């Protein structure tokens, strides 16, 4: 089975098995703004950065989302003249989607969303002009969000993105603990590609 089949089965299993947990009156949250710290691990290095997300329901089953991540790293290198140059690299991503809740019963919601995708890489050097490159494309995401109890929510999803010569799947799992009905803190992990994964901690405001 390919990766799409495996992930579809995992999401379906998560949705159907949710009935074994205690029911709650709270539905999964799709109206929030969040921000937090992000660590991106690559094959031979780790970069630190931040993440920000926005989600807003605009009809009973429709919603808008915007996701932004940025990671950075500083490099020092010495040329033959023994002059030390400082170089900084930034990698930024944006996803902007329209989503639809195709299953929305009680404390479980399954959804699909699609839209634009954008990535930019910028290299800044203390002695030379900045070098930057960016590209845009599209993405398609499917997931399930479940509220186990009023204070705890989990989201599992897979996103396919096609940006320039980047064509891969991003698999994500995250959880939120609601300190109050409007404030939550969260942890998450994403496999962005075969050479990149993200871990993040967030704080969110819900309405």
């Amino acid at each position: 089975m390919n990766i799409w089949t495996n992930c579809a089965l995992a999401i379906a299993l998560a949705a159907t098995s949710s009935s074994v947990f205690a029911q709650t009156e709270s539905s999964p949250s799709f109206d929030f703004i969040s921000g937090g710290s992000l660590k991106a691990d690559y094959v031979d290095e780790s970069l630190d950065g931040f993440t920000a997300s926005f989600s807003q329901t605009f009809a009973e089953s429709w919603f808008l989302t915007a996701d932004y991540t940025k990671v950075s790293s500083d490099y020092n290198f010495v040329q033959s003249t023994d002059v030390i140059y400082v170089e900084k690299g930034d990698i930024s991503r944006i996803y902007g989607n329209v989503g639809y809740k195709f299953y929305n019963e009680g404390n479980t919601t399954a959804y699909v969303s699609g839209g634009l995708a954008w990535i930019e890489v910028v290299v800044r050097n203390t002695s030379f002009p900045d070098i930057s490159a960016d590209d845009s494309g599209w993405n398609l995401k499917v997931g399930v969000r479940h509220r186990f109890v009023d204070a705890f929510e989990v989201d599992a999803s897979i996103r396919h993105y096609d940006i320039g010569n980047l064509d891969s799947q991003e698999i994500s799992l995250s959880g939120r603990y609601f300190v109050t009905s409007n404030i939550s803190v969260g942890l998450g992990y994403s496999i962005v590609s075969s050479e990149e994964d993200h871990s993040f901690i967030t704080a969110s405001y819900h309405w």
Side-chain angles (χ1 to χ4, degrees):
M1 290 186 289
N2 60 33
I3 189 171
W4 284 98
T5 304
N6 289 335
C7 291
L9 288 173
I11 291 172
L13 179 61
T16 56
S17 63
S18 63
S19 60
V20 303
F21 295 92
Q23 294 296 303
T24 172
E25 295 180 357
S26 299
S27 300
S29 176
F30 282 83
D31 297 287
F32 61 86
I33 186 169
S34 68
S37 176
L38 170 70
K39 177 176 284 292
D41 291 316
Y42 297 89
V43 175
D44 55 356
E45 64 178 330
S46 294
L47 306 182
D48 294 321
F50 65 91
T51 178
S53 297
F54 170 82
S55 179
Q56 173 67 59
T57 302
F58 66 90
E60 183 178 356
S61 298
W62 294 88
F63 60 96
L64 298 171
T65 63
D67 300 302
Y68 177 73
T69 62
K70 182 177 182 178
V71 293
S72 304
S73 184
D74 293 329
Y75 305 94
N76 295 333
F77 61 94
V78 181
Q79 288 193 335
S80 58
T81 56
D82 293 331
V83 177
I84 298 177
Y85 294 95
V86 178
E87 189 173 273
K88 182 177 182 180
D90 297 329
I91 304 174
S92 303
R93 281 188 177 92
I94 294 177
Y95 296 114
N97 285 12
V98 177
Y100 178 73
K101 306 171 188 176
F102 61 87
Y103 177 85
N104 192 20
E105 294 292 336
N107 52 350
T108 302
T109 301
Y111 61 91
V112 61
S113 68
L116 299 176
W118 175 83
I119 188 170
E120 180 185 48
V121 178
V122 179
V123 177
R124 298 181 175 88
N125 189 286
T126 55
S127 302
F128 305 102
D130 293 352
I131 300 173
S132 65
D134 68 285
D135 213 333
S136 58
W138 60 273
N139 79 100
L140 181 66
K141 180 180 180 180
V142 60
V144 60
R145 192 168 298 174
H146 181 72
R147 201 78 169 262
F148 287 100
V149 293
D150 286 342
F152 185 57
E153 178 181 284
V154 170
D155 183 278
S157 67
I158 177 172
R159 184 198 307 270
H160 178 83
Y161 58 89
D162 191 331
I163 312 173
N165 61 353
L166 299 176
D167 183 0
S168 187
Q169 290 79 41
E170 176 182 333
I171 304 169
S172 299
L173 179 65
S174 62
R176 285 196 180 100
Y177 176 76
F178 285 78
V179 182
T180 70
S181 60
N182 299 111
I183 304 294
S184 72
V185 292
L187 293 171
Y189 179 76
S190 297
I191 302 173
V192 181
S193 70
S194 60
E195 300 179 345
E196 179 183 1
D197 57 76
H198 294 172
S199 54
F200 49 90
I201 181 170
T202 60
S204 303
Y205 176 77
H206 305 258
W207 56 84

